[in-house]
Amino acid sequence: MVRPGPPFRAVLPLLLLGVGGALSGCREAPEPAAPARPLRIALPAEPAMLDPHLQAESVANSILSNLYEGLTAFDAEMGLAPALAVGWESPDELTWVLRLRPGVTFHDGRPLTALDVLFSLQRARDHPESRVASHLVAVGSWRALGRQAVEIRTRRPYPILLNKLALVMIVPAGAPAPIEEPVGTGPYRLAGRREGAIELQPHGAHWRGPAVHPAVAIHLVPDPEQRVAGLLDGRFDLVKEVPPRLRQTVRASHVARLLGRDTLLVNYLQLPADRPPFTDPRVREAIQVGLDRRALVEELAGGLGSPAGQMVGPNVFGFAPALLAPERDLARARALLARAGIDRSGPIPMAYRAGRDVAPIVRQLAEIGLAVEARPVPWERLYAALQSGEVDFYYGGFSCNSGDASDLFDGKVHRRDPLSGYGSTHSAGLSTPALDELIELAGTASEMPARREMLERAMRELMAENTLVPLFVPRVDYGVRRTLRWHPRLDGHVRAEEVGIAPPL
């Protein structure tokens, strides 16, 4: 692998340490005995869609990480490694030359070339419905250097480009929009889809070699009780999001283990400042100071997590250690709502992904004088409504999957600008012109200490608006059959190629 040239020797390693690892080679595949049956995974929701560029949500990307690859990739600890690019160099501070891995083919047999990479970058940045355009805001141009290399030029020094490229999946040139039948270069290919399940088969020509599992069935099960029951009765091998009340059930089982993992997630409330009653800053502040985050960690995360005072956790570059979660102040919250003169004739609807527990949040809001009606919505419908701006009050989670807080600022917070790519996942009412300017300024810093300071400043500005109310950084629990060997990923993706077979006792 060719490491970045002199302009970035003092910059890139700092970033990689900030997101959890140093630059490394490709991860090693598990060393299993050949399994006799498919791997059966249960995820907590249906994906919004299976187009890698027209959505940016965790369930879909977990599934698609088995089907597609980027030029670079993260390992389980967020260490950066080569993927479809076998190496790269940076001859100057604006230019990156990436050499493609030889012998890579798509699932339909077509060889990977530079034209596929250029098409994918163009589609990801310029498609009017792209949700990943914000990862390419610093990119000015690209060109092919023959069939097996590409040159990417940035508008400004941008040391985190390799991190962002890991989140842009490469599709074959000419792929339709939307993509409904994914064709990638990943270790598995789509074999079929039926209600509640997606079936995968190995990509026999994958560059890493033969797949561990003869097939993979991904079951989409919003009900956590059903997921855990399926694990214990043998229908599932690996399930994501075991709720706190079922942890001991899994621990006591002779067939499964409980594996917990810290995450890049922050669970939060979204309060759009352009819609009543959240147009009144006193209402937003009342919610911010009226919640007992430690109690939410106990009730919603079983005590395993940490209260959040900002929209990124400590595993993300740009985390501000001094920005602490506020202590609950019931008297102030009630006084703020009283001065705001909230109409209590009816509850405010709060949308959330079906299968989550929100009762403690609703109860705490009632204690400050705000009546809330919890409305569970199937994730595939809720995600579409969020992107179209149809949801006012929302409880969910946000993850910076490049390990950098710019994912939050460039994509979700900055107002949407199709020409630059900013705001590709923007939620209404979150930004101000001054904050947009600060976000853009943070993107110009080539030295990591300066970037960190500007990201922390942007976070302080965002938190002062109270349009996003961080609640806690959760731990995610998985149930895994004892016959398997697996280490959960920091980004929460479940990749079948990383699930090995445990040696016999």
Side-chain angles (χ1 to χ4, degrees):
M1 180 186 69
V2 180
R3 293 182 181 273
F8 293 101
R9 278 180 184 161
V11 175
L12 188 59
L14 284 173
L15 174 68
L16 296 176
L17 289 174
V19 298
L23 194 65
S24 61
C26 301
R27 61 182 178 274
E28 295 182 0
E31 302 174 356
R37 65 181 188 181
L39 176 67
R40 300 157 305 174
I41 299 167
L43 298 182
E46 290 269 358
M49 63 169 62
L50 292 180
D51 190 307
H53 302 149
L54 305 191
Q55 56 73 37
E57 57 96 358
S58 60
V59 176
N61 285 333
S62 186
I63 296 167
L64 292 175
S65 68
N66 292 281
L67 304 172
Y68 288 102
E69 296 165 302
L71 294 170
T72 57
F74 292 112
D75 64 21
E77 304 303 320
M78 297 300 289
L80 194 65
L84 295 182
V86 71
W88 47 80
E89 58 187 357
S90 182
D92 60 62
E93 62 181 8
L94 300 181
T95 306
W96 296 83
V97 176
L98 297 98
R99 293 181 288 106
L100 300 187
R101 187 176 297 278
V104 174
T105 62
F106 287 99
H107 299 154
D108 60 5
R110 280 181 283 178
L112 171 73
T113 72
L115 294 181
D116 301 303
V117 174
L118 301 190
F119 174 85
S120 299
L121 295 175
Q122 185 84 37
R123 187 180 192 270
R125 190 185 69 179
D126 296 341
H127 191 287
E129 296 179 23
S130 173
R131 302 302 178 193
V132 298
S134 58
H135 299 318
L136 300 174
V137 292
V139 174
S141 64
W142 43 68
R143 66 186 179 115
L145 302 178
R147 286 176 57 85
Q148 290 300 115
V150 296
E151 177 190 88
I152 299 176
R153 288 188 57 81
T154 57
R155 299 186 181 94
R156 56 185 184 264
Y158 197 60
I160 62 170
L161 177 65
L162 297 177
N163 293 58
K164 300 294 187 175
L165 291 178
L167 306 183
V168 180
M169 298 179 183
I170 302 303
V171 305
I179 293 173
E180 296 180 349
E181 299 290 333
V183 175
T185 62
Y188 288 88
R189 61 179 177 83
L190 182 68
R193 184 169 185 179
R194 52 188 169 82
E195 185 176 358
I198 293 173
E199 297 171 349
L200 310 180
Q201 293 288 337
H203 175 25
H206 191 255
W207 53 272
R208 283 199 188 93
V212 174
H213 304 280
V216 177
I218 300 177
H219 297 267
L220 310 165
V221 187
D223 187 328
E225 302 275 353
Q226 292 183 19
R227 289 197 302 276
V228 172
L231 174 70
L232 300 184
D233 68 20
R235 286 176 289 140
F236 306 142
D237 301 308
L238 188 159
V239 304
K240 185 175 182 180
E241 292 188 14
V242 175
R245 67 183 182 277
L246 297 178
R247 284 176 184 161
Q248 187 53 38
T249 301
V250 175
R251 287 195 189 101
S253 166
H254 297 297
V255 299
R257 294 175 294 139
L258 187 74
L259 298 180
R261 184 71 221 252
D262 53 344
T263 69
L264 301 174
L265 279 167
V266 172
N267 284 7
Y268 71 103
L269 295 173
Q270 181 171 295
L271 318 175
D274 58 349
R275 304 178 190 181
F278 309 114
T279 49
D280 191 323
R282 293 170 295 189
V283 175
R284 303 196 304 271
E285 185 182 354
I287 294 173
Q288 177 74 271
V289 303
L291 292 166
D292 185 340
R293 289 163 172 80
R294 287 188 174 83
L296 293 179
V297 169
E298 290 297 323
E299 294 186 70
L300 296 179
L304 299 175
S306 58
Q310 57 193 294
M311 283 296 294
V312 299
N315 289 313
V316 174
F317 184 86
F319 173 78
L323 199 53
L324 303 176
E327 295 293 334
R328 190 182 202 191
D329 189 337
L330 265 178
R332 177 168 176 75
R334 289 167 175 166
L336 285 165
L337 284 182
R339 289 199 295 271
I342 290 296
D343 179 7
R344 302 184 186 178
S345 59
I348 302 170
M350 182 182 75
Y352 66 98
R353 191 193 79 203
R356 288 184 181 272
D357 181 10
V358 299
I361 299 172
V362 173
R363 186 185 68 248
Q364 288 194 16
L365 291 174
E367 290 168 356
I368 70 173
L370 197 65
V372 170
E373 177 191 352
R375 292 186 178 177
V377 183
W379 176 239
E380 66 276 18
R381 284 173 36 203
L382 179 56
Y383 182 78
L386 286 166
Q387 297 307 309
S388 63
E390 299 171 21
V391 177
D392 293 345
F393 188 21
Y394 167 68
Y395 168 65
F398 188 87
S399 177
C400 291
N401 281 342
S402 77
D404 191 272
S406 59
D407 290 1
L408 169 74
F409 291 118
D410 295 352
K412 184 174 179 64
V413 176
H414 195 292
R415 284 175 295 178
R416 187 165 178 79
D417 180 1
L419 294 179
S420 67
Y422 280 110
S424 55
T425 57
H426 176 71
S427 296
L430 298 185
S431 189
T432 65
L435 185 53
D436 285 350
E437 184 177 347
L438 181 57
I439 290 169
E440 293 174 26
L441 182 64
T444 67
S446 60
E447 298 295 329
M448 300 316 292
R451 279 196 80 247
R452 186 188 297 274
E453 191 281 327
M454 281 189 277
L455 289 171
E456 291 183 11
R457 180 181 163 197
M459 188 65 73
R460 289 192 294 271
E461 295 278 344
L462 176 62
M463 292 297 94
E465 294 294 322
N466 295 323
T467 50
L468 298 176
V469 176
L471 301 180
F472 59 95
V473 177
R475 188 185 83 161
V476 175
D477 284 314
Y478 302 82
V480 183
R481 293 187 69 80
R482 294 184 181 275
T483 55
L484 298 179
R485 182 185 61 191
W486 180 61
H487 179 66
R489 296 175 58 89
L490 191 57
D491 61 16
H493 292 172
V494 180
R495 298 185 181 177
E497 64 173 332
E498 297 175 346
V499 181
I501 309 302
L505 298 176

